[in-house]
Amino acid sequence: MGLYLEKIEENEKKIKKLKTTIETSKAKLKKLVDENAHLSYLEIKAEYNCEGRELLEVLAREREQSARLKAGSLAGSDNDVTADTAEDNKSDTDNSDDEFGQQMSFTDKRNPYED
């Protein structure tokens, strides 16, 4: 019985150590994520050469322009010259006897599987 209790205590120490490591790793992760967010902000700020409220307004205008362009391109697709016509949609696998004649057969029977 004592053998199992010793192993349980050993595992509990390992668990405690791993939990501490996890908490430390989570803190490091949060710090790196926050740093990347700040660096991204600095990059955008430098690219647009503005900051604060002005930067928010510039980004909002760009988002609106992008939405208008997308909406315009979707509306323009109705008049697309590459749109399928009814003739284009006709199946290439239409094997009607009227259009192509009867299929070649190596037997005298119309259905080679009939007795």
Side-chain angles (χ1 to χ4, degrees):
M1 185 80 173
L3 178 67
Y4 296 117
L5 291 176
E6 289 175 14
K7 187 65 175 174
I8 290 171
E9 286 179 26
E10 184 180 318
N11 285 345
E12 285 179 353
K13 288 178 185 177
K14 289 179 183 179
I15 290 170
K16 185 176 180 180
K17 184 177 178 183
L18 284 172
K19 284 183 178 182
T20 303
T21 302
I22 290 170
E23 291 303 316
T24 303
S25 294
K26 282 183 180 180
K28 287 180 184 178
L29 175 65
K30 182 179 179 346
K31 182 180 177 183
L32 288 172
V33 167
D34 290 345
E35 182 181 355
N36 274 354
H38 182 70
L39 291 171
S40 296
Y41 168 75
L42 293 176
E43 176 67 26
I44 293 170
K45 183 176 107 171
E47 185 173 328
Y48 288 97
N49 196 26
C50 58
E51 60 182 284
R53 182 128 183 110
E54 183 182 6
L55 180 60
L56 290 173
E57 291 170 358
V58 168
L59 293 173
R61 277 194 304 263
E62 282 204 1
R63 185 178 50 225
E64 289 171 9
Q65 288 175 347
S66 176
R68 274 189 253 132
L69 286 173
K70 283 181 183 177
S73 69
L74 290 176
S77 68
D78 292 341
N79 300 325
D80 189 3
V81 295
T82 62
D84 291 340
T85 62
E87 187 65 29
D88 292 338
N89 290 333
K90 189 175 183 181
S91 173
D92 291 336
T93 60
D94 183 14
N95 292 329
S96 66
D97 289 341
D98 295 340
E99 189 174 343
F100 297 106
Q102 189 172 356
Q103 180 179 355
M104 178 188 259
S105 175
F106 296 105
T107 67
D108 293 334
K109 300 177 184 178
R110 183 167 177 88
N111 182 355
Y113 300 108
E114 67 186 13
D115 289 326

